[in-house]
Every structure is written in structure tokens, then in C-alpha cells.
């Protein structure tokens, strides 16, 4: 293939219909047919990236190998395709406008009046084609955030219109995801919201090539014919997307509906071989038919919104399948934990994960959870801030440093066992300035970390400003807290563990970002295995 083909995924009626899952599912099917496929997300908000957004606002911030702070949908892309994404896979309106304004300041527009059309739309089109022009992909799927009709999305919709026109209808198509709601009072599914959404799209000059209809009930042939007629699409291009028990069922549902076949036909591409989903379906079978069940407590301070820990929750599904185990994640708010109720709150758990986060709210509850796991020999896993809480807990309760803390929480502590990274001390801008992306880590032989990974050097993704204070490493190590992973370039401790415990490990990085269906992360796999052993005892 010489010409890269483009698929644009837009949404209507309401947000949260699952554009990212549909895009990832289609990409998985095309990849399984032998096409080199990638996905990118264009977000309509003015933040340059989601790095400074409150998790309650936007869910988790996903981080790529090259250090990009991105939308959580990129996590779905990687988990489905098992292919790393990068900065190029996620673009926001803020980044688009920042780039155009910087060009204007440099005088690159030769004194012309800078306008949304053509300057903003040209910048968007350039970004939309960046991955396609690399020569690495046959098909690029682009998800447009928001819904059609939103003021914020208009420049993207106009850019899609221009690209479809310039590339030609065989090289670029539009999939419109919409809602077909069931009204209990009327006892029927309603097509009018979809008709209005498609009409809004057509008013912007774009004709939907494929309709994907989100529904909680089966769509009849009569309704499919009606949607095809009034939305001006082929009958075969009306695709049902019914509610599924797990997002990992969606590729099979889309395969049954023929979404990949219709897309390939419209792009004038051969079907090639039937999709090879053997590994995928083995995983799915294990998810549906587990042999064991364990309860793992997720101790965090954003537990009210599950998307805040999306990658962790998905990593547990992957690791659970690898162990033929259903992992019940029990979300426990760290603000509600203290020494008086800890036994009650954490009773009945086979494992405890202390989650990442920022700021002092809920910190003491996390420290109590670490102490409970350590003293009661409950398998423990700490991620980023979770590792730092383990260091503080050990310093307080084993070394006897009663006020040990992180300078993030208390800059007056006499024992700053966690402190600000040296290169962070002069930084004032918050966006994109943390230690981000993939960093190497050398593992200590005969350690739990080495046994988990099975190799001496690993690479993992980071997102933090504070670190394990190297002035305390020797004291803690002498007291039994082993520094089993160290960055070879900076000397920063990346992994801690303690001996005489069934499973106790803390990591400064975010292993959940690299867990996929085909490659579940080894720490999660071993952690779940340890919880299964704990339950058997």
C-alpha cells in the first residue's frame, strides 16, 4: 500500500458513548487482518495537555514512552493493539492554537491575518496526517473528541470535511457514533436523536459513511432500514453497538456486525485473511470463566470516579486472566481510613494496592494501609505515591522517625525521606515539567523485582516530581527495606521491597501504563498470583 487510508470517528447526541472503544475495536480487527493500524485522539479543550487537569474532571492522565501526558483513550488504544503510542497520537485544541500563535510570533504567516480558517484548520490537518505520512501505517483512525454541534469541535469537523474532500472518498471515510435510546414509557427504541445528529453533521458538510448505534436493546431490521433511509447511509453500514459485559467483547461484536468489512469496502481495500483473534479470545474466555476469585483493596483518594484509575483497573483484568482469576477491586477512600478503623476497613482483603496521586489529602490513610499490609503479611503493591508512602511508613514505624514525611506534604519535617527532585526545584510551570516517560532501571539480582521481570534492565514510564531521598537509603536498607531497582543514569531508587513478607513491592514508576491484553504487566501478574496463594492458605 502506498496511500495511507484515514478513518474519522465522530460522536453525536451525548458524550461517553464509547468512541474510543469503537475506534480501538475497529483498529484491532483491521490489525488482525494484517493492516498496520494506529489510532489518534483530537481533544477539543484548550488545555495544552491533560497533565494539569484534576482527575475528577478528566479521569487519569495517560503517559506514553516519549513522555507525552495524554487522554486516557490512548490507554485503550495500547491495550487493544499492543503497540506503543506517542505525542503524535493525542492533540488538543490548546496545542493547536499554541503552535499557530508561536508561528505568528515568528512571522511565518508573512503578515497575513491569522484566522481559524485556514490557519487553525491547516494546523489540524497537518497533525491529522502526521502519522500517516510516516510510512509506518496503512490505516490511521482519528477519534474526534466531544459531540457534533459543540462550538469547541467545529474546527475539527471542518478540518475533517476538507481532508475527506482533498483525499477522496476512497481514501477517507467518516464513522458516526450515535445513541438509539430506549424509552420505557413508549416501550420502543427511538431513532430521532440519531437523525438529528446526522443532520447536524451534514450541515457541516460531512456525510457519515457508517453509523454505529449505541443501544441497550437489539435494533430490529425495521429500525436499521429506517436509519439507513433517513440518515443517507447503506443498510449494511448501520452497525449496532449493544451494551457489553466488558469492553473486551466489543471487537467480537463489531466483527459480527461486519464493521471492519464495511470500512474496508468503502476504503477500496481487500479483506485479506479472516481476523486472527486467537490470543484475544483465549484472554476473553479466561475473563469470563475464572477458576479463582480474590478481593484486592485499591487505596486511593479519587475512588469516587473509576476513570481516575482506569489503567490500574484494566491491568488487574489482564493479570486476572493470566492467573485465571477474577479480581474484585474494592475501592477504599484513603481519607476514611485511620488507626481506629483500619482493621474493619481492610478486613477480608487478599491484597492491598496503594494508588498514585498528588497532594496531602488522604495521605495518613495510605500510610496506615501500608502498615496494615506489612504487619499482617497481606500482599502489598505501591505505585508512585504508593511507594513513597511505604518509605514513610517504614521510616516512622521501623526506624522510629516519628515525623518522617515527604516534603510535598510537610516541608518542615526533620526526616524528609521523600523530597523534591533536584532538577524540579527551579521549575515554576506545572504543565509537562515532571519526570515523564520511559526511564531505565537496573534490577538487583536475587530480589523480588528480578524474579518478577526475569532480566537485569527494564524500562518503565514515569510521572512524578518527588523521589526517594538518597540520604536515607542506607539506613532503610540496613533496617530491611531493600532498594532493588535503581536508575543507572541518575542513581534514583525506582523499586523498594522488604524481606520476610509474601509479597511487598513499591515502584516509583507506573507499570499499569504498559499492561496490555497480549502482555499483562509482570508485577500485576505476580501480585495477583500472590493474592491467590494468600487466599488458599
Amino acid at each position: 500500500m502506498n496511500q495511507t487510508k484515514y478513518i474519522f470517528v465522530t460522536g453525536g447526541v451525548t458524550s461517553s458513548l464509547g468512541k474510543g472503544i469503537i475506534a480501538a475495536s475497529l483498529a484491532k480487527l483491521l490489525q488482525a487482518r494484517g493492516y498496520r493500524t494506529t489510532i489518534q485522539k483530537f481533544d477539543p479543550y484548550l488545555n495544552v495537555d491533560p497533565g494539569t487537569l484534576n482527575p475528577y474532571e478528566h479521569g487519569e492522565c495517560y503517559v506514553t514512552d516519549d513522555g507525552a501526558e495524554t487522554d486516557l483513550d490512548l490507554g485503550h488504544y495500547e491495550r487493544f493493539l499492543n503497540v506503543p503510542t506517542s505525542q503524535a497520537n493525542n492533540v488538543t485544541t490548546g496545542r493547536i492554537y499554541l503552535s499557530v500563535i508561536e508561528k505568528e510570533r515568528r512571522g511565518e504567516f508573512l503578515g497575513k491575518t491569522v484566522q481559524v480558517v485556514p490557519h487553525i484548520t491547516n494546523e489540524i490537518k497537518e497533525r491529522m496526517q502526521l502519522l500517516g505520512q510516516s510510512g509506518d501505517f496503512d490505516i490511521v483512525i482519528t477519534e474526534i473528541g466531544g459531540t457534533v454541534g459543540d462550538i469547541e469541535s467545529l474546527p475539527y469537523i471542518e478540518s475533517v470535511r476538507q481532508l475527506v474532500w482533498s483525499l477522496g472518498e476512497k481514501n477517507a471515510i467518516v464513522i458516526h457514533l450515535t445513541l438509539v435510546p430506549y424509552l420505557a414509557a413508549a416501550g420502543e427504541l427511538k431513532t430521532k436523536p440519531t437523525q438529528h445528529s446526522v443532520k447536524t453533521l451534514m450541515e457541516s458538510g460531512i456525510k457519515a459513511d457508517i453509523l454505529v448505534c449505541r443501544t441497550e436493546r437489539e435494533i430490529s431490521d425495521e429500525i436499521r432500514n429506517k436509519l439507513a433511509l433517513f440518515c443517507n447511509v447503506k443498510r449494511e453500514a448501520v452497525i449496532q453497538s449493544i451494551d457489553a459485559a466488558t469492553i473486551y467483547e466489543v471487537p467480537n461484536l463489531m466483527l459480527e456486525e461486519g464493521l471492519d468489512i464495511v470500512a474496508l469496502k468503502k476504503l477500496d481495500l481487500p479483506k485479506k485473511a479472516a481476523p486472527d483473534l486467537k490470543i484475544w479470545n483465549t484472554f476473553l474466555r479466561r475473563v469470563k470463566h475464572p477458576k479463582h476469585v480474590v478481593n484486592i483493596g485499591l487505596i486511593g483518594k479519587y475512588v469516587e470516579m473509576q476513570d481516575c484509575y482506569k489503567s490500574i483497573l484494566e491491568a488487574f483484568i489482564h493479570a486476572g486472566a493470566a492467573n485465571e482469576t477474577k479480581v474484585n477491586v474494592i475501592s477504599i477512600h484513603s481519607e476514611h481510613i485511620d488507626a481506629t478503623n483500619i482493621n474493619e476497613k481492610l478486613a477480608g482483603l487478599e491484597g492491598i494496592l496503594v494508588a498514585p496521586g498528588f497532594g496531602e489529602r488522604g495521605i495518613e490513610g495510605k500510610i496506615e494501609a501500608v502498615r496494615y499490609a506489612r504487619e499482617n503479611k497481606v500482599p502489598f503493591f505501591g505505585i508512585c505515591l504508593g511507594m513513597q508512602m511505604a518509605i514513610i511508613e517504614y521510616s516512622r514505624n521501623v526506624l522510629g522517625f516519628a515525623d518522617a514525611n515527604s516534603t510535598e506534604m510537610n516541608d518542615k519535617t526533620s526526616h524528609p525521606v521523600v523530597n523534591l527532585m533536584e532538577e524540579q526545584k527551579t521549575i515554576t510551570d506545572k504543565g509537562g515539567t515532571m519526570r515523564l516517560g520511559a526511564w531505565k532501571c537496573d534490577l538487583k539480582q536475587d530480589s523480588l523485582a528480578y524474579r518478577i521481570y526475569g532480566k537485569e534492565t527494564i524500562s518503565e514510564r514515569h510521572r512524578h516530581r518527588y523521589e526517594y531521598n538518597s540520604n536515607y537509603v542506607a539506613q532503610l536498607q540496613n533496617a530491611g527495606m531493600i532498594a532493588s531497582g535503581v536508575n543507572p543514569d541518575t542513581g534514583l531508587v525506582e523499586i523498594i521491597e522488604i524481606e520476610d513478607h509474601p509479597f511487598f513491592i513499591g515502584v516509583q514508576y507506573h507499570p499499569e501504563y504498559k499492561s496490555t491484553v497480549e502482555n499483562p504487566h509482570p508485577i500485576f501478574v505476580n501480585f495477583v498470583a500472590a493474592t491467590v496463594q494468600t487466599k488458599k492458605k
Side-chain angles (χ1 to χ4, degrees):
M1 276 180 61
N2 296 321
Q3 171 77 54
T4 299
K5 307 280 187 170
Y6 294 87
I7 299 173
F8 297 98
V9 180
T10 60
V13 184
T14 179
S15 59
S16 301
L17 287 181
K19 290 192 300 294
I21 300 301
I22 291 297
S25 297
L26 175 56
K28 182 65 192 174
L29 294 177
L30 295 173
Q31 181 193 61
R33 285 186 181 273
Y35 287 100
R36 299 173 302 160
T37 309
T38 191
I39 323 172
Q40 55 189 359
K41 172 83 180 283
F42 280 69
D43 274 309
Y45 51 80
L46 283 170
N47 302 70
V48 174
D49 58 48
T52 55
L53 286 173
N54 186 320
Y56 288 124
E57 284 271 332
H58 199 70
E60 78 170 5
C61 176
Y62 188 79
V63 178
T64 59
D65 276 341
D66 63 350
E69 293 177 288
T70 72
D71 184 82
L72 60 81
D73 273 335
L74 267 70
H76 291 312
Y77 304 165
E78 289 201 14
R79 288 188 282 272
F80 276 55
L81 296 182
N82 201 39
V83 175
T85 54
S86 69
Q87 179 69 73
N89 293 79
N90 190 207
V91 180
T92 68
T93 297
R95 191 171 294 280
I96 295 290
Y97 274 80
L98 181 63
S99 177
V100 170
I101 289 168
E102 286 174 343
K103 288 178 180 178
E104 185 273 333
R105 292 289 83 189
R106 291 194 297 267
E108 291 187 22
F109 297 120
L110 302 174
K112 290 185 179 295
T113 302
V114 179
Q115 298 174 285
V116 173
V117 181
H119 301 98
I120 296 297
T121 52
N122 283 348
E123 184 76 19
I124 292 171
K125 288 191 294 181
E126 187 179 308
R127 301 289 182 115
M128 285 178 169
Q129 296 177 91
L130 206 57
L131 289 169
Q133 291 168 348
S134 68
D136 296 331
F137 303 105
D138 304 315
I139 300 170
V140 175
I141 300 176
T142 303
E143 177 192 348
I144 306 297
T147 55
V148 293
D150 294 348
I151 290 174
E152 295 96 335
S153 298
L154 287 175
Y156 292 115
I157 297 299
E158 171 59 16
S159 300
V160 171
R161 185 198 68 77
Q162 291 181 20
L163 267 180
V164 171
W165 177 83
S166 62
L167 293 170
E169 61 181 19
K170 294 291 186 183
N171 296 317
I173 63 171
V174 175
I175 296 175
H176 190 55
L177 180 64
T178 183
L179 179 67
V180 179
Y182 177 79
L183 294 188
E188 59 183 357
L189 292 166
K190 289 295 183 181
T191 65
K192 197 61 72 177
T194 294
Q195 292 181 51
H196 282 302
S197 181
V198 171
K199 182 181 178 183
T200 301
L201 192 62
M202 293 181 75
E203 286 172 352
S204 299
I206 296 176
K207 175 187 176 298
D209 295 286
I210 300 172
L211 275 185
V212 176
C213 304
R214 285 286 284 113
T215 178
E216 57 188 42
R217 305 213 173 191
E218 293 282 341
I219 296 176
S220 65
D221 287 340
E222 181 185 358
I223 289 177
R224 289 184 194 243
N225 291 332
K226 183 178 180 181
L227 286 168
L229 177 63
F230 289 108
C231 296
N232 201 29
V233 299
K234 293 284 182 66
R235 166 64 178 73
E236 65 184 19
V238 178
I239 305 294
Q240 170 184 280
S241 177
I242 199 162
D243 291 352
T246 167
I247 59 172
Y248 299 107
E249 288 183 354
V250 179
N252 281 324
L253 293 176
M254 292 301 98
L255 180 64
E256 290 172 12
E257 286 288 307
L259 176 59
D260 55 329
I261 297 291
V262 176
L264 289 172
K265 183 178 178 181
K266 290 188 174 293
L267 290 170
D268 197 25
L269 291 173
K271 297 177 187 176
K272 291 191 175 182
D276 179 6
L277 296 174
K278 185 177 179 181
I279 295 174
W280 188 272
N281 287 326
T282 297
F283 158 79
L284 202 53
R285 187 172 63 254
R286 289 182 166 190
V287 169
K288 290 180 176 180
H289 306 288
K291 294 179 180 177
H292 316 284
V293 179
V294 294
N295 296 317
I296 295 179
L298 190 157
I299 317 299
K301 56 182 181 176
Y302 310 118
V303 296
E304 300 93 336
M305 184 177 175
Q306 293 296 292
D307 276 357
C308 295
Y309 301 114
K310 176 56 75 176
S311 290
I312 291 175
L313 297 177
E314 298 305 317
F316 272 131
I317 294 174
H318 308 154
N323 285 283
E324 297 186 88
T325 299
K326 176 177 172 55
V327 178
N328 289 325
V329 179
I330 314 297
S331 296
I332 302 171
H333 204 301
S334 59
E335 272 194 299
H336 302 157
I337 297 174
D338 57 40
T340 65
N341 65 14
I342 186 86
N343 292 331
E344 175 194 345
K345 291 282 187 182
L346 304 189
L349 298 177
E350 280 83 47
I352 293 170
L353 182 145
V354 176
F358 295 92
E360 62 181 329
R361 183 172 63 88
I363 289 307
E364 294 302 321
K366 291 188 175 187
I367 293 170
E368 279 297 322
V370 177
R371 182 184 64 80
Y372 178 92
R374 180 177 61 81
E375 293 180 350
N376 292 282
K377 307 290 188 183
V378 178
F380 168 81
F381 184 12
I383 298 177
C384 198
L385 185 66
M387 166 182 150
Q388 296 173 3
M389 295 302 99
I391 294 166
I392 294 169
E393 188 279 328
Y394 211 80
S395 299
R396 288 182 184 180
N397 298 320
V398 178
L399 284 182
F401 299 157
D403 75 331
N405 215 323
S406 165
T407 54
E408 180 183 7
M409 322 306 168
N410 177 11
D411 58 7
K412 301 292 192 297
T413 175
S414 58
H415 292 289
V417 293
V418 176
N419 62 1
L420 191 63
M421 299 172 70
E422 199 60 41
E423 64 268 27
Q424 292 285 324
K425 292 180 179 177
T426 57
I427 290 173
T428 55
D429 287 355
K430 297 298 184 188
T433 56
M434 286 183 278
R435 186 180 184 216
L436 293 164
W439 291 71
K440 286 183 179 179
C441 176
D442 290 342
L443 304 183
K444 184 177 181 179
Q445 290 199 13
D446 300 322
S447 66
L448 172 61
Y450 185 83
R451 291 195 297 274
I452 287 172
Y453 282 97
K455 52 187 176 182
E456 292 182 2
T457 301
I458 60 170
S459 173
E460 293 282 4
R461 300 177 190 176
H462 291 250
R463 185 175 186 252
H464 64 105
R465 295 184 194 281
Y466 291 79
E467 61 168 317
Y468 185 1
N469 188 339
S470 58
N471 294 330
Y472 288 88
V473 173
Q475 293 178 72
L476 281 159
Q477 191 135 293
N478 289 334
M481 178 167 275
I482 311 301
S484 58
V486 177
N487 180 274
D489 301 316
T490 64
L492 297 180
V493 175
E494 302 274 15
I495 307 173
I496 58 98
E497 53 190 74
I498 61 174
E499 299 171 318
D500 190 29
H501 195 284
F503 190 98
F504 192 105
I505 193 166
V507 298
Q508 184 59 75
Y509 47 83
H510 289 262
E512 69 273 20
Y513 291 149
K514 294 186 74 170
S515 185
T516 70
V517 168
E518 292 189 22
N519 286 301
H521 197 282
I523 300 185
F524 278 90
V525 172
N526 281 267
F527 178 48
V528 171
T531 66
V532 172
Q533 290 304 312
T534 296
K535 185 164 187 177
K536 285 180 179 178
K537 292 177 183 176

